[in-house]
Amino acid sequence: MNILSMMSNLSGMKRKRNTSKQAEGVLVALMLITLFASLRYDAFLSEYNIMTFLSYNSMFILIGLGMCFVIMTGGIDLSVGSVVALSSVVVAHASPYGIEVALPVGILVGVLAGAINAFVITKLKIVPFIATLAMMLGARGMALVLSDNQSVQVSWDSNFTQFGLGKMFDFIPWPIVAMLVAFVFCWILLEKFAFGRHVLSIGGNEEASKLMGLEVNKTLFGVYILSGALAGLSGVMLASGFGAGQPLEGLGWELSAIAAVVVGGTLLTGGLGSITSTLLGAILLGLIFNILNFENGLGTISFSAYWQSVIRGGFLLVVVVIQAKVINSKMRRTEF
Amino acid sequence: MNHSYPTEAQQGASLSSTLSNDGDLVLHMKGIHKHFAGVPALSDAELKIKAGEVHAIIGQNGAGKSTLIKVLNGAHKHDEGDIYFMGEEVSYASPHKAQMAGISTIFQEVNLIGYRSITENICLGHEPKRFGMVDWRKAHAHARETLARFGLELDVEQPLSTFNIAIQQLVAIARAVALDARIVIMDEPTSSLDEREKEVLFRVIKELKASGVAILYVSHHLDELFQICDEITVMRDGKTVGQRAIGDMTKLDMVAAMLGKDPEEIARGGATNFASTGRASDQVLLSVENLEGAGALKNVSFDLYKSEILGLAGLLGSGRSEVARAIFGLDSDLKKGEVFLEGEKMDFTDPMAAIEKGFGFCSEDRKEDGIIPQLSVRENLTLVLLPKISKYGLIDESKERQLVTDFIQRLGIKTASMEQPISQLSGGNQQKVLLARWLVTNPNILILDEPTRGIDVGAKGEIQSLIRRLADDGLTVLMISSEFEELVEGADRVIVLQDGHSIQALANDQLTENAIMKAIAQETRHPVA
Amino acid sequence: MNSSTLAESPKPKVPTVGTKIASQIKNNGALWAFFLLLVINILITPNFLQIQTLYVNLTQVATVAIVAIGMTLVIASGGIDLSVGALMALAGTVAPMIFLSDFGVANPELGLFVAIVVAISAAGIAGLFNGFLISKYKIQPIIATLILFISGRGIAQVLTNGELQTFDNPSFEFIGTGRVFGVPVQAWITLVLALSIAWVLKRSIYGRFLLAVGGNEKAAELAGVPATKVKLMTYMVCGLLAGIAGIITTAINSASDANQTGQLMELDAISAAIVGGVLLTGGRLPSLVRF
């Protein structure tokens, strides 16, 4: 009798990875909604709508990507919305020097915020929820101080607003380009670099990761800095796209980002996640606004703007309940 | 009284015989001292290991085994003493540093990352890279090769959690091998393995040994040591009391050495008073018929007689725990089967209903399913009882305190006070509190899943004799244990499970370890009459 | 060997002063975080320490405290509730809708009573919904309550079309601005709620079950603790308390504002619960989930 082959059989209880299934689910939902909308609204698939939609949602997608990394480590970053506001205010002040200066400055603001978050979490051993909550208040306060409680007009003389309003090759808006670059960067980082593996390992089992010699603190620094940097970039988009640094913008964006990550199937407990499905999740949530606008445009029913949040919450409810049912049925009897 | 083991002469002899040539030593720890907040954990501990040997450390809880290991693998810094590894003096700042230098530790609870693939778990932290990116093809090949050394062929791209504990443990060992370990420390590696899986582990250990890797092996299971170990170091009260070749020792010698007793005295006294009285009434209390479902069960039937201790034996995956959980209403996805309590059909869908009918259940996983860590001994002890000592939703606190005081005394629970958080108690005392949690409700039937797992020899004996005493007083016990020895000594009858079937009932003189093993190994299946 | 010789060496770990302090710091990281928050706010937020801010803070203390009591219970159960601010808005909006309706105007006393009961109940039912998602569907609390965080306020806004409802109803305003024995009514309400819930936590079976569920849910269920019920109850109470806070806010302002009532309350309540909750539960809050 070959014990080893028996063992191998014994171990043959294989499961598909949860995340790939989840990404498929999000993709199917996205395609169905797109199909529905494109049949119902003539202008839905127009170049204008697609570009405007993606351009506007680039900011949310960026934050979602950063949040995805943070959540994969088992943490959370509540500060991103405030960091967007702070960055927009700072770059508005820097806008006369042109986008060449403002862009790095905006990202640097986010990097600094992320580094402080990481420092408080790893060195002062304060749970991410609390540490980033403090940064959320701190960054917001800072934005208000630097803006004197008012929005800060950007300079229209420099090329600063070109970033938010211009297009590459007169075709793709720059925010979309930046978002796509960030997406590809994040995807490669997660799938191809050891860093990404370490992020997932830390979220899966921090103790074990430490024993395996992963530099947990360094990785966490990387993750929170990445999240901050993407929020900073998002702030640059906000200022240059809307012509002002806005200290009160970005309220609740962190929660939208979390929602996007969750809809994308990333586990809030860490250890499992996907960049692609986070992108899809963010687009999916954004589409709801888009569709409501079209629906109002049709004029058959009129939804007040307030319905959007109700429907958005309802949509999140549906996704989360379906997800819970799938996960709960899978979790059954998989422990040994 | 005879001199405690070993006598100075014996010790000297053994040291000179086995360690004639210090040049062979891969590891030499000498004069190790370690204090925790002024309390000595190690005082003058010594350890000498040669390349390619399997070296066991034995001792009671608190003897200093784990502290010594932690000093070796860099988790603790010793206060005094020297460590020579491969001829050089060393001291590691972290387990990771020790690992990179060639000292790997395989922990009791497999410390890997379940969501990640086998490859990642083997290669994490030293991934093969090309142009800065992980070279997955190379990584997978590397993982496959490493596992192939143990004759394992697995899909290395699958998440580790999809494999059973035994495989996970082998992956942990494979990781050590991939890091070119010279010493592999195994802390209770067999505690969650069944007999079949143990054999595989032992084979892997032999492979490692043949390739010159030294293995430091810690286990409460003395029988195992005879199967695989070459040398034994005995520790007591933070000191190394001796080192000997395994061939020179009997099990009795080991126990005597650990306890600091004279072997002959122990032999006279009998190993334990957990011996079966062979008494079981004729009254059937619980009748389990044709249980099927709950993942592992195919057809399980047996009767439980009043005030007997009925053992459930079987390999991991045979359905031992699933039977207990199903009876207690923890798995509602039973496909078939019935449970009768004194002829009345029970259909529990949750533990609350079972508790109402006088059932109690101690799970095998004390930490996960048992203690509420931040609650006190008192609050843990009365958790099940609460509804009975409450009126209008308010707890009768004086009654609660009185009962808790009573049970702490009766069970000999060692705690500073009833308000001490349970997490600060030793494993054995935590287990006693959990037993008391049920006993205080005066149950009819107590289901105990691995009641003595991971508990040191002393507390184990106490808990075993407590169980016997309770049964003598009329309590009916269903006891699951992966240690056949415990079942043979402790149970009145044993039901043997094989792949979800109850295949045999053993009692009286049929009830031996060999008989259980024979029943488990047999090919044909027949239901219990 | 008999059992007495085998008894393990008596070593219940007696914590030394050093380890005690160390564990205090470790366990109360939240407390330190709060001080951090405070310092950052003082340094950064304009006017944080000025008299006017202090006054505003004081009038907000009662509502924050009431919501924080509910948040403490939720945190003790091992969860979190992001929806409290939205539920405040919901209750604060529903109450005036009822006493300003034809029915309410026709029967001023009954109308006021119904208004308060229905408004608080609405928030309680919303809390129950949170608890349902969390205990039945096993959805992580932060996500489950995110749903009502997003749509709860939306429902309140849809009900009023986002408009301010102003009213002149002295009996209702009494809740917010009245005084009994010279002490504001809202302070009395807060005091009564805080004392009664502290008492319930300490003395009742629910309190014990709550801590058990928060400490180790699996073990608690195995010991027959009705974890699902405990959680449903906890989120419901949290919702009810948010409802009460919403009504007080509306009464103070003599107006309901679906857009502003309870804005950012979840953050204040969480911060307050982390600090005050330690007192309420004897320092046995689980270490704020793993967020």
Side-chain angles (χ1 to χ4, degrees):
Chain A
M1 180 183 67
N2 186 348
I3 292 173
L4 291 166
S5 70
M6 275 172 60
M7 292 273 295
S8 300
N9 286 339
L10 212 81
S11 64
M13 299 174 44
K14 283 168 192 163
R15 277 181 284 155
K16 278 261 171 191
R17 290 183 201 198
N18 286 340
T19 45
S20 61
K21 274 257 168 72
Q22 187 76 36
E24 285 161 28
V26 181
L27 194 60
V28 169
L30 198 60
M31 287 190 324
L32 285 178
I33 290 185
T34 310
L35 188 70
F36 164 81
S38 60
L39 292 176
R40 190 167 167 81
Y41 320 114
D42 296 334
F44 184 75
L45 284 186
S46 67
E47 185 193 319
Y48 175 77
N49 185 49
I50 292 176
M51 290 304 175
T52 322
F53 172 76
L54 283 181
S55 184
Y56 177 66
N57 279 285
S58 291
M59 292 185 291
F60 303 106
I61 293 171
L62 286 181
I63 296 180
L65 293 176
M67 187 68 79
C68 182
F69 270 92
V70 173
I71 287 181
M72 281 188 292
T73 64
I76 205 147
D77 187 350
L78 298 178
S79 69
V80 286
S82 299
V83 171
V84 169
L86 176 60
S87 158
S88 80
V89 167
V90 171
V91 297
H93 285 304
S95 60
Y97 302 99
I99 191 70
E100 300 81 3
V101 174
L103 185 65
V105 164
I107 293 177
L108 190 68
V109 167
V111 166
L112 280 177
I116 295 173
N117 279 336
F119 177 81
V120 173
I121 291 164
T122 58
K123 303 290 175 195
L124 306 185
K125 305 278 175 216
I126 287 172
V127 288
F129 190 95
I130 302 295
T132 58
L133 188 69
M135 178 53 75
M136 177 189 196
L137 299 177
R140 179 72 63 192
M142 189 71 118
L144 289 169
V145 169
L146 293 179
S147 65
D148 237 353
N149 288 9
Q150 285 162 358
S151 47
V152 180
Q153 294 304 314
V154 302
S155 155
W156 292 86
D157 298 333
S158 73
N159 61 356
F160 177 69
T161 51
Q162 274 304 302
F163 179 66
L165 303 169
K167 294 177 178 179
M168 185 169 86
F169 308 133
D170 270 342
F171 178 60
I172 308 176
W174 283 106
I176 300 184
V177 176
M179 179 269 284
L180 288 176
V181 169
F183 166 71
V184 171
F185 174 76
C186 288
W187 188 86
I188 293 179
L189 197 58
L190 180 66
E191 300 295 332
K192 298 293 172 193
F193 279 87
F195 174 79
R197 301 293 103 185
H198 296 183
V199 165
L200 287 168
S201 303
I202 290 167
N205 187 341
E206 188 168 333
E207 244 350 270
S209 301
K210 265 185 200 150
L211 285 170
M212 287 180 166
L214 300 190
E215 294 181 278
V216 174
N217 286 355
K218 256 192 196 165
T219 310
L220 290 179
F221 261 94
V223 162
Y224 284 94
I225 285 175
L226 177 67
S227 173
L230 290 171
L233 177 58
S234 187
V236 179
M237 285 183 188
L238 181 71
S240 75
F242 293 81
Q246 311 194 37
L248 289 172
E249 213 18 278
L251 274 179
W253 283 21
E254 59 284 340
L255 296 173
S256 306
I258 294 168
V261 172
V262 169
V263 168
T266 297
L267 284 189
L268 257 191
T269 45
L272 272 183
S274 147
I275 290 296
T276 316
S277 55
T278 298
L279 173 76
L280 298 179
I283 293 178
L284 197 57
L285 285 180
L287 261 186
I288 294 165
F289 280 94
N290 197 236
I291 287 177
L292 269 174
N293 285 333
F294 273 105
E295 196 60 42
N296 282 335
L298 282 183
T300 42
I301 324 165
S302 168
F303 288 97
S304 78
Y306 302 118
W307 275 105
Q308 291 186 352
S309 49
V310 178
I311 293 176
R312 220 177 178 206
F315 185 75
L316 184 61
L317 172 67
V318 171
V319 171
V320 162
V321 166
I322 292 174
Q323 218 180 74
K325 284 203 158 165
V326 173
I327 291 175
N328 288 350
S329 68
K330 255 187 208 153
M331 288 308 226
R332 269 203 157 158
R333 312 291 331 160
T334 49
E335 335 134 71
F336 295 98
Chain B
M1 177 183 152
N2 267 339
H3 208 291
S4 62
Y5 169 88
T7 62
E8 301 308 319
Q10 278 172 319
Q11 190 175 24
S14 75
L15 291 180
S16 61
S17 68
T18 56
L19 300 172
S20 52
N21 184 1
D22 271 14
D24 292 350
L25 289 180
V26 62
L27 178 79
H28 189 179
M29 300 172 80
K30 60 180 176 189
I32 306 290
H33 288 256
K34 173 73 188 168
H35 290 73
F36 288 113
V39 183
L42 289 177
S43 39
D44 203 17
E46 177 155 32
L47 185 63
K48 296 180 179 186
I49 303 180
K50 284 189 288 189
E53 110 182 337
V54 181
H55 193 115
I57 305 187
I58 60 173
Q60 286 209 78
N61 273 6
K65 292 170 301 190
S66 43
T67 312
L68 189 65
I69 288 174
K70 283 178 179 162
V71 165
L72 174 57
N73 74 10
H76 290 328
K77 176 92 190 76
H78 52 287
D79 304 333
E80 264 178 64
D82 304 312
I83 304 173
Y84 295 94
F85 175 51
M86 310 222 289
E88 277 173 41
E89 190 176 351
V90 295
S91 175
Y92 300 109
S94 73
H96 175 230
K97 296 260 161 61
Q99 200 176 55
M100 295 322 279
I103 299 176
S104 276
T105 312
I106 314 294
F107 291 91
Q108 196 167 352
E109 288 149 23
V110 181
N111 238 313
L112 296 175
I113 295 143
Y115 288 135
R116 312 270 35 102
S117 68
I118 289 184
T119 300
E120 286 172 62
N121 273 293
I122 290 178
C123 297
L124 218 55
H126 56 102
E127 300 90 348
K129 283 179 194 151
R130 221 172 44 163
F131 312 126
M133 295 188 209
V134 179
D135 185 344
W136 284 115
R137 191 178 307 173
K138 211 164 160 188
H140 290 316
H142 180 59
R144 267 184 223 112
E145 267 165 39
T146 314
L147 288 170
R149 281 179 58 181
F150 309 144
L152 277 177
E153 229 177 274
L154 301 167
D155 183 352
V156 294
E157 296 179 39
Q158 287 298 316
L160 186 70
S161 60
T162 58
F163 298 94
N164 64 32
I165 297 277
I167 298 271
Q168 295 188 20
Q169 210 154 38
L170 295 180
V171 170
I173 296 172
R175 179 178 167 83
V177 170
L179 288 169
D180 272 329
R182 303 308 305 157
I183 298 178
V184 176
I185 304 168
M186 297 189 188
D187 189 2
E188 293 284 350
T190 56
S191 62
S192 20
L193 304 189
D194 66 25
E195 300 289 334
R196 195 171 49 185
E197 292 163 338
K198 260 187 225 171
E199 275 182 51
V200 180
L201 176 71
F202 290 168
R203 231 174 89 171
V204 168
I205 290 178
K206 280 172 192 152
E207 302 255 351
L208 283 180
K209 186 177 147 171
S211 62
V213 176
I215 288 145
L216 185 55
Y217 194 93
V218 180
S219 176
H220 284 306
H221 304 282
L222 302 182
D223 289 326
E224 280 169 25
L225 307 185
F226 290 100
Q227 292 178 49
I228 46 156
C229 293
D230 306 310
E231 286 285 318
I232 293 203
T233 290
V234 184
M235 295 190 69
R236 193 170 68 233
D237 300 332
K239 290 187 185 67
T240 302
V241 292
Q243 177 183 352
R244 269 221 237 168
I246 186 106
D248 300 344
M249 289 184 93
T250 65
K251 200 170 155 192
L252 201 62
D253 292 333
M254 290 185 198
V255 174
M258 282 160 61
L259 297 174
K261 299 272 177 223
D262 174 8
E264 283 171 39
E265 183 192 323
I266 290 178
R268 273 198 309 275
T272 162
N273 52 9
F274 188 48
S276 162
T277 59
R279 264 196 294 113
S281 72
D282 296 332
Q283 191 191 344
V284 176
L285 189 64
L286 185 80
S287 182
V288 174
E289 292 181 8
N290 310 317
L291 286 189
E292 189 188 327
L297 305 181
K298 300 211 177 73
N299 185 355
V300 175
S301 305
F302 60 83
D303 286 334
L304 178 59
Y305 291 91
K306 198 164 167 40
S307 84
E308 77 169 339
I309 299 178
L310 179 65
L312 278 185
L315 301 178
L316 206 73
S318 63
R320 307 183 301 229
S321 300
E322 284 81 356
V323 170
R325 297 176 71 87
I327 294 175
F328 197 62
L330 276 167
D331 290 301
S332 46
D333 56 346
L334 267 186
K335 284 196 208 93
K336 234 173 79 182
E338 281 151 345
V339 177
F340 295 96
L341 178 65
E342 295 182 302
E344 188 193 343
K345 189 171 183 299
M346 297 290 118
D347 195 9
F348 303 132
T349 49
D350 59 32
M352 272 172 275
I355 291 167
E356 204 142 286
K357 288 288 178 187
F359 286 74
F361 175 53
C362 280
S363 156
E364 61 184 323
D365 195 335
R366 205 164 47 233
K367 211 167 116 201
E368 283 288 312
D369 293 341
I371 63 167
I372 315 272
Q374 68 264 57
L375 293 193
S376 67
V377 169
R378 168 175 62 86
E379 290 161 320
N380 268 286
L381 201 149
T382 56
L383 195 59
V384 182
L385 185 73
L386 277 188
K388 288 188 189 160
I389 52 167
S390 303
K391 227 178 185 179
Y392 311 118
L394 294 181
I395 302 163
D396 181 344
E397 283 186 15
S398 64
K399 195 163 186 185
E400 182 186 19
R401 277 168 208 289
Q402 180 201 325
L403 280 167
V404 171
T405 313
D406 188 33
F407 269 84
I408 285 179
Q409 201 178 27
R410 266 172 62 188
L411 269 57
I413 297 167
K414 289 187 196 79
T415 172
S417 88
M418 68 168 80
E419 303 304 335
Q420 192 173 20
I422 192 169
S423 51
Q424 294 176 358
L425 266 53
S426 69
N429 281 308
Q430 287 182 2
Q431 185 71 348
K432 284 187 201 166
V433 174
L434 295 181
L435 276 172
R437 179 189 279 178
W438 293 107
L439 295 176
V440 72
T441 65
N442 205 5
N444 293 324
I445 297 177
L446 193 54
I447 305 170
L448 303 173
D449 196 353
E450 302 281 4
T452 62
R453 174 189 274 181
I455 290 175
D456 74 284
V457 184
K460 195 167 169 171
E462 275 186 69
I463 286 175
Q464 287 170 338
S465 48
L466 172 69
I467 294 170
R468 171 50 64 194
R469 234 171 31 233
L470 291 166
D472 287 346
D473 292 344
L475 181 69
T476 310
V477 178
L478 181 62
M479 180 169 75
I480 297 163
S481 175
S482 53
E483 287 179 45
F484 299 155
E485 192 186 341
E486 184 170 70
L487 290 173
V488 169
E489 285 175 10
D492 299 311
R493 292 189 309 135
V494 167
I495 303 291
V496 181
L497 299 179
Q498 186 193 56
D499 294 332
H501 296 261
S502 50
I503 53 166
Q504 201 167 359
L506 300 166
N508 299 330
D509 48 348
Q510 301 167 316
L511 182 49
T512 63
E513 283 183 60
N514 281 335
I516 295 176
M517 281 188 255
K518 218 172 115 191
I520 285 172
Q522 76 189 18
E523 292 293 325
T524 52
R525 297 177 175 130
H526 45 88
V528 179
Chain C
M1 51 187 120
N2 64 47
S3 58
S4 70
T5 58
L6 272 172
E8 51 199 303
S9 50
K11 54 167 181 84
K13 288 181 205 158
V14 180
T16 65
V17 178
T19 57
K20 245 185 183 165
I21 292 172
S23 80
Q24 281 294 317
I25 291 174
K26 218 175 136 197
N27 294 337
N28 295 333
L31 204 65
W32 297 99
F34 175 75
F35 287 123
L36 197 74
L37 281 182
L38 210 63
V39 170
I40 289 174
N41 264 305
I42 292 169
L43 291 179
I44 290 175
T45 309
N47 312 328
F48 187 78
L49 278 187
Q50 289 180 6
I51 298 298
Q52 211 177 357
T53 324
L54 204 64
Y55 176 73
V56 172
N57 282 347
L58 274 180
T59 59
Q60 283 175 355
V61 160
T63 50
V64 172
I66 291 171
V67 177
I69 292 168
M71 190 66 78
T72 303
L73 300 182
V74 166
I75 291 176
S77 80
I80 199 110
D81 189 348
L82 297 180
S83 71
V84 285
L87 300 189
M88 279 177 69
L90 188 61
T93 307
V94 166
M97 284 181 74
I98 293 175
F99 67 68
L100 289 178
S101 68
D102 295 342
F103 162 78
V105 174
N107 312 285
E109 274 145 38
L110 183 64
L112 193 62
F113 176 76
V114 171
I116 291 173
V117 169
V118 170
I120 295 176
S121 306
I125 290 169
L128 209 54
F129 170 80
N130 285 334
F132 182 76
L133 289 180
I134 290 158
S135 61
K136 293 279 186 193
Y137 283 108
K138 316 271 176 229
I139 295 170
Q140 286 142 315
I142 192 170
I143 291 301
T145 57
L146 184 57
I147 292 168
L148 274 178
F149 170 85
I150 294 173
S151 34
R153 186 175 299 281
I155 293 170
Q157 287 166 329
V158 166
L159 286 176
T160 57
N161 208 14
E163 285 157 18
L164 206 66
Q165 295 181 92
T166 53
F167 52 83
D168 183 17
N169 185 332
S171 332
F172 185 73
E173 283 157 38
F174 184 73
I175 302 172
T177 53
R179 283 170 185 266
V180 172
F181 304 128
V183 177
V185 172
Q186 40 167 319
W188 283 114
I189 297 177
T190 310
L191 191 69
V192 168
L193 285 172
L195 288 179
S196 53
I197 287 181
W199 183 75
V200 164
L201 267 189
K202 190 169 158 35
R203 288 293 315 278
S204 80
I205 196 164
Y206 162 75
R208 191 74 63 79
F209 280 175
L210 177 70
L211 293 177
V213 169
N216 183 347
E217 186 174 348
K218 251 172 107 187
E221 280 196 308
L222 225 140
V225 174
T228 304
K229 264 193 212 164
V230 169
K231 283 191 182 176
L232 280 175
M233 173 94 171
T234 303
Y235 282 92
M236 187 186 72
V237 169
C238 184
L240 289 173
L241 291 169
I244 294 173
I247 284 189
I248 293 175
T249 307
T250 301
I252 293 174
N253 297 335
S254 312
S256 82
D257 181 356
N259 307 321
Q260 286 305 318
T261 306
Q263 239 347 321
L264 297 181
M265 178 55 95
E266 55 285 343
L267 301 179
D268 291 341
I270 290 168
S271 317
I274 289 162
V275 180
V278 177
L279 298 174
L280 212 56
T281 59
R284 292 181 297 184
L285 285 181
S287 61
L288 202 79
V289 218
R290 229 191 72 113
F291 288 136

